[in-house]
Amino acid sequence: SGPKKEDLQRMMELMDGFKASKALFTASKMCVFDLLQSRPGLEAEQIAQEIKASLKGTQCLLEACVSLGLLRSKEQTSHKPMYENTDLATRFLLSDAPFSLHGYIQHCNSTVWPLFSHLESAVQEGTNQHDKAFGKKSKDMFQDTVYYDREVKLRFMKAMHSIAKVTGKAVATAFDLSSFKTVCDIGGCTGAMAYEFTEAHPGLSVTVFDLPAVVDMSEHFTPQHREHRVSFVAGDFFKDDLPKADLYILARILHDWPDEKVDILLKRISDACRPGCAVLIAETMLDGLRPHSTLQSLNMLAQAEGKERTQRQYVDMMSTHGFGDTRFVQTGNFLDAFISIKL
Ligand code: SAM
């Protein structure tokens, strides 16, 4: 008997996955979703004119977006379809939507895509691919490959900001934090996660600790209604004194680094903690080998120095540094949450 229909379907989906991603990235970069939000019902010709592209290419891109559930097309009597955003596009693809993933998508397109085209080398060498993809040797991934150029830095910060805004509330409300007053968000980037924590917990104040290059640009991301319980301190978490806090957040920090560097950072945090203080880790946990976490681990291989880890690995790392009473919440959002108390 021949191959099963559902097997063929699955293989086709897997082989086409990269084309779907690139179609999404391209439509997002060409601002198709923003355009159709301000002017729903445009025809392909009008869209091609607005995005300054060929009619043939625009038609193919629009049809692909319809098939992927990002756009809807309506036939008119003229037989020329008119296009509008689906709810999914309206919620996540507009550049100014509250849960916009536009920033992250631009980072995927400009940075992750070229890095992934060298995945074979990443697997062979076990290292990131900034040198092959961008001609950038990376002694320190952030300082050498992301923050060397203002535009690249801002794009990276927008990417972090967009994911932190989408996941922030789920992480901030995963545990009862009523016994904590002061929080330090280690590598807290634009403060997006910090603002979610202060919004969810009126008794908390949060210090965002990040590299000077990032703190310098944090003003670009201050929410309209400025939250006075969020402040920024510039420093290097491998070298400088960490701000004192009852609770330390590590959101998407540990996955950037190999075990030796994670150990150095956790030791520094442990030294800053009294018994009863806690560390809250937000990462996608590798348990169950879900595609999002395993692919994210490949992403960390190609892009950074780290990898994703299992709950067990985090528990062991934390207990080495004197933490226990660990709880874990699978949030259903992009990041899971894990809290461990200094014993
Ligand atoms: N926590 C943020 C989030 O979840 O959106 C950002 C995560 S991003 C993957 C890693 C962050 O760590 C970046 O903001 C980066 O600037 C910061 N970082 C990297 N190395 C650092 C260092 N040595 N000292 C302080 N911050 C650092």
Side-chain angles (χ1 to χ4, degrees):
S1 60
K4 282 197 212 141
K5 205 170 136 193
E6 47 295 5
D7 290 347
L8 289 176
Q9 177 78 27
R10 182 74 194 117
M11 288 313 301
M12 195 61 82
E13 273 168 20
L14 288 173
M15 291 187 295
D16 281 347
F18 80 99
K19 298 174 200 158
S21 300
K22 191 66 175 173
L24 164 64
F25 300 166
T26 304
S28 174
K29 184 165 188 194
M30 296 179 107
C31 297
V32 169
F33 306 107
D34 281 341
L35 172 66
L36 287 174
Q37 196 63 18
S38 58
R39 295 171 60 193
L42 292 182
E43 295 174 1
E45 267 167 18
Q46 296 166 302
I47 298 171
Q49 225 168 40
E50 292 293 331
I51 66 172
K52 300 185 177 43
S54 67
L55 177 58
K56 181 182 172 190
T58 305
Q59 276 166 335
C60 289
L61 183 64
L62 293 169
E63 285 158 3
C65 287
V66 171
S67 74
L68 295 171
L70 307 175
L71 296 180
R72 250 190 308 269
S73 69
K74 281 193 194 148
E75 275 300 328
Q76 307 181 90
T77 40
S78 65
H79 296 298
K80 287 186 178 173
M82 34 191 249
Y83 294 91
E84 60 187 33
N85 288 329
T86 59
D87 291 347
L88 194 67
T90 305
R91 249 177 289 140
F92 295 112
L93 301 180
L94 305 182
S95 52
D96 60 355
F99 292 138
S100 174
L101 290 170
H102 185 81
Y104 189 68
I105 289 168
Q106 294 323 301
H107 168 68
C108 287
N109 190 39
S110 307
T111 303
V112 183
W113 182 270
L115 290 169
F116 260 64
S117 69
H118 298 284
L119 191 57
E120 194 180 326
S121 304
V123 170
Q124 282 164 344
E125 296 162 11
T127 55
N128 73 52
Q129 294 297 307
H130 288 280
D131 193 6
K132 283 203 185 64
F134 304 111
K136 291 264 161 239
K137 293 232 182 292
S138 70
K139 224 168 103 234
D140 178 305
M141 175 208 134
F142 288 94
Q143 324 241 28
D144 301 334
T145 67
V146 185
Y147 300 153
Y148 70 99
D149 172 275
R150 193 174 184 278
E151 195 189 321
V152 178
K153 175 169 67 168
L154 202 55
R155 195 170 64 221
F156 178 79
M157 289 178 74
K158 284 181 181 169
M160 295 305 107
H161 192 74
S162 64
I163 298 283
K165 279 188 77 175
V166 174
T167 58
K169 188 170 179 191
V171 172
T173 56
F175 303 105
D176 174 7
L177 302 180
S178 55
S179 60
F180 304 108
K181 294 273 170 288
T182 51
V183 179
C184 176
D185 189 359
I186 300 272
C189 204
T190 67
M193 191 69 88
Y195 291 112
E196 292 294 339
F197 270 71
T198 50
E199 182 141 344
H201 305 282
L204 283 186
S205 54
V206 184
T207 306
V208 176
F209 184 80
D210 210 304
L211 293 166
V214 170
V215 172
D216 279 355
M217 307 274 281
S218 62
E219 287 289 319
H220 285 257
F221 299 90
T222 310
Q224 255 175 358
H225 305 291
R226 195 193 182 90
E227 174 51 73
H228 294 288
R229 287 177 291 127
V230 173
S231 55
F232 288 79
V233 170
D236 180 333
F237 53 50
F238 289 122
K239 292 189 191 139
D240 297 319
D241 284 346
L242 302 177
K244 285 279 170 221
D246 308 327
L247 173 66
Y248 289 89
I249 302 171
L250 289 166
R252 292 187 292 168
I253 300 302
L254 301 184
H255 76 175
D256 290 334
W257 305 103
D259 292 349
E260 314 80 75
K261 285 201 172 163
V262 167
D263 240 18
I264 294 171
L265 179 56
L266 290 181
K267 175 162 188 341
R268 304 195 84 233
I269 295 175
S270 178
D271 289 347
C273 280
R274 288 172 285 100
C277 291
V279 171
L280 194 162
I281 295 172
E283 297 282 5
T284 173
M285 302 280 165
L286 206 49
D287 303 76
L289 299 182
R290 298 164 290 166
H292 171 63
S293 32
T294 54
L295 296 176
Q296 182 63 3
S297 208
L298 277 181
N299 186 16
M300 289 305 111
L301 172 73
Q303 193 175 170
E305 297 178 37
K307 58 183 178 186
E308 300 301 337
R309 297 178 173 90
T310 61
Q311 271 182 67
R312 184 74 254 160
Q313 288 170 316
Y314 285 117
V315 169
D316 289 348
M317 282 173 169
M318 295 311 292
S319 81
T320 306
H321 293 284
F323 291 82
D325 193 11
T326 298
R327 277 158 296 145
F328 168 72
V329 170
Q330 200 160 6
T331 66
N333 203 305
F334 293 141
L335 299 175
D336 301 315
F338 175 104
I339 197 166
S340 216
I341 312 291
K342 178 82 184 277
L343 302 174

